[in-house]
Amino acid sequence: MWYMICSEDVDNSLPLRTPVRAAHLARLQELRDQGRLLTAGPLPAIDSNDPGAAGFTGSLVVAEFNSIEDAQAWADADPYIPAGVYKSTVIKPFKQVF
């Protein structure tokens, strides 16, 4: 089943994101290579594709997992967590309509 993983950043998270971004993206690439990633991306802090120094307010991932527990375990292993980027994460089942 598909699951939405929506994580909210701490304030001023950009300096925390940068050092671990490659590891974060590698995990997403692995899901993509397995055909299990529907979409993923950061949530810009301002109305711009390139928010620059304003940075991001969070991230959204929609991916396929066997269970919500598996989705939670995957989300809990995100490199952004020990780096202090995320302050909270919500995981919910997702039904793709379009």
Side-chain angles (χ1 to χ4, degrees), residues 48-87:
S48 172
N49 280 328
D50 182 5
F56 303 94
T57 62
S59 301
L60 173 69
V61 175
V62 179
E64 188 175 34
F65 295 94
N66 290 327
S67 67
I68 197 165
E69 292 82 12
D70 287 350
Q72 183 70 59
W74 186 88
D76 288 345
D78 194 303
Y80 281 171
I81 292 176
V85 174
Y86 293 152
K87 68 178 172 182

Side-chain angles (χ1 to χ4, degrees), residues 17-77:
R17 279 176 166 263
T18 304
V20 292
R21 184 172 185 260
H24 171 79
L25 294 178
R27 297 177 75 239
L28 292 167
Q29 184 63 52
E30 184 178 322
L31 287 177
R32 184 175 179 201
D33 292 347
Q34 295 169 358
R36 297 172 44 209
L37 184 64
L38 184 62
T39 192
L43 308 172
I46 60 173
D47 192 10
S48 172
N49 280 328
D50 182 5
F56 303 94
T57 62
S59 301
L60 173 69
V61 175
V62 179
E64 188 175 34
F65 295 94
N66 290 327
S67 67
I68 197 165
E69 292 82 12
D70 287 350
Q72 183 70 59
W74 186 88
D76 288 345

Side-chain angles (χ1 to χ4, degrees), residues 6-13 16-17 56-59 80-90:
C6 189
S7 300
E8 185 178 3
D9 284 16
V10 298
D11 292 337
N12 303 310
S13 63
L16 302 171
R17 279 176 166 263
F56 303 94
T57 62
S59 301
Y80 281 171
I81 292 176
V85 174
Y86 293 152
K87 68 178 172 182
S88 65
T89 297
V90 174

